[in-house]
Amino acid sequence: MARRGHRLLLLVLWTLTAPARPGPGEEGDGGWQRRGAAPAAVAEEERCTVERRADLSYAEFVQHYAFSRPVILQGLTDNSRFRALCSRKRLLASFGDNVIRLSTANTYSYQKDTLYFFGDNNFTEWASLFRHYIPPPFGLLGTTPAYSFGIAGTGSGVPFHWHGPGFSEVIYGRKRWFLYPPEKTPEFHPNKTTLAWLQDTYPALTPSARPLECTIQAGEVLYFPDRWWHATLNLDTSVFISTFLS
């Protein structure tokens, strides 16, 4: 286990310290897309099947989405300050000496083939960053929000799992989501990655058996209701933050 942990630490250090694209890329992608990196292994879906809303009121959110289906929120908050602080250069300057733990953040995956930094945030150490984040303005009665901040490489992701409701915002990069309602358990192997599922299982699914799916772009927020199955796949090196309502 110690040898494996050492190898994973070297992987994170390589990801963070490899030369990034200079110049305009620092502003557009935060410096997270490495110079000469291969193109994304997976493209976006042919058609997004999750509704996007840019003018959603709280009453509409509760009535149409909070307890029934996912929705992508646009333009409800301005996290440009938080985004600037999450550039590769700024994060390394502020937190480069921090010790981090890698995880799939997933109960069902034991081999952890696509480990990345997510969820195991020491809130005292990261408070100076989190205080600049503006969460979505919608809450649910009886829940308390909790943040999970993450950085993940291209092709990594979390296999299908479920938990309570929450929001997930992409700060840099793109994250493709696959979602099923609670009563429709997806066909998947618990120890295979989302990328393997997309390549091996997804093509054989009939239209009626396919999940809701969409690629969340930087600045967009996905809301997922309670107990909805979901899997994720990072199409680029991605920086993101989730607000879990528990």
Side-chain angles (χ1 to χ4, degrees):
M1 177 64 74
R3 187 163 50 231
R4 186 182 184 193
H6 179 66
R7 184 171 69 250
L8 292 170
L9 179 58
L10 290 177
L11 174 62
V12 172
L13 293 175
W14 174 81
T15 300
L16 293 178
T17 58
R21 285 200 295 246
E26 178 67 25
E27 180 178 350
D29 60 33
W32 289 104
Q33 309 312 318
R34 291 179 291 108
R35 184 172 61 243
V42 177
E44 296 183 14
E45 66 288 337
E46 293 183 2
R47 183 174 69 91
C48 173
T49 53
V50 180
E51 187 177 0
R52 281 184 162 94
R53 291 293 303 269
D55 55 352
L56 191 65
S57 69
Y58 179 67
E60 289 177 302
F61 170 73
V62 171
Q63 182 178 358
H64 298 295
Y65 305 102
F67 307 103
S68 58
R69 56 192 168 120
V71 63
I72 299 167
L73 308 174
Q74 297 177 314
L76 291 181
T77 56
D78 180 5
N79 274 306
S80 55
R81 172 61 175 164
F82 184 76
R83 176 180 167 87
L85 294 173
C86 289
S87 71
R88 178 176 169 275
K89 181 178 180 180
R90 295 289 290 272
L91 279 183
L92 280 173
S94 300
F95 303 101
D97 293 331
N98 286 31
V99 175
I100 63 173
R101 175 183 292 181
L102 303 185
S103 174
T104 60
N106 178 40
T107 303
Y108 288 88
S109 181
Y110 303 105
Q111 293 180 350
K112 297 182 181 292
D113 293 321
T114 57
L115 288 161
Y116 56 84
F117 175 44
F118 177 66
D120 288 307
N121 309 135
N122 182 313
F123 286 89
T124 301
E125 292 181 352
W126 293 86
S128 61
L129 177 66
F130 289 166
R131 65 187 177 90
H132 292 284
Y133 180 65
I134 304 172
F138 303 146
L140 295 177
L141 187 65
T143 65
T144 302
Y147 295 151
S148 284
F149 178 73
I151 303 170
T154 303
S156 63
V158 180
F160 280 105
H161 65 291
W162 60 265
H163 45 67
F167 301 91
S168 182
E169 179 167 354
V170 173
I171 307 302
Y172 290 108
R174 297 171 297 158
K175 183 184 289 286
R176 188 170 170 181
W177 282 72
F178 308 90
L179 304 109
Y180 284 99
E183 69 275 9
K184 195 171 183 178
T185 302
E187 178 185 344
F188 74 103
H189 190 289
N191 281 329
K192 288 190 176 181
T193 65
T194 303
L195 181 58
W197 173 86
L198 183 64
Q199 293 171 338
D200 301 337
T201 303
Y202 179 90
L205 296 176
T206 63
S208 62
R210 291 199 169 187
L212 293 179
E213 58 181 305
C214 199
T215 297
I216 310 303
Q217 309 287 336
E220 293 185 322
V221 181
L222 174 76
Y223 170 76
F224 49 89
D226 188 27
R227 297 179 179 269
W228 270 66
W229 290 94
H230 54 280
T232 62
L233 181 63
N234 296 290
L235 304 189
D236 310 307
T237 297
S238 300
V239 180
F240 51 94
I241 185 167
S242 294
T243 303
F244 295 110
L245 304 177
S246 58

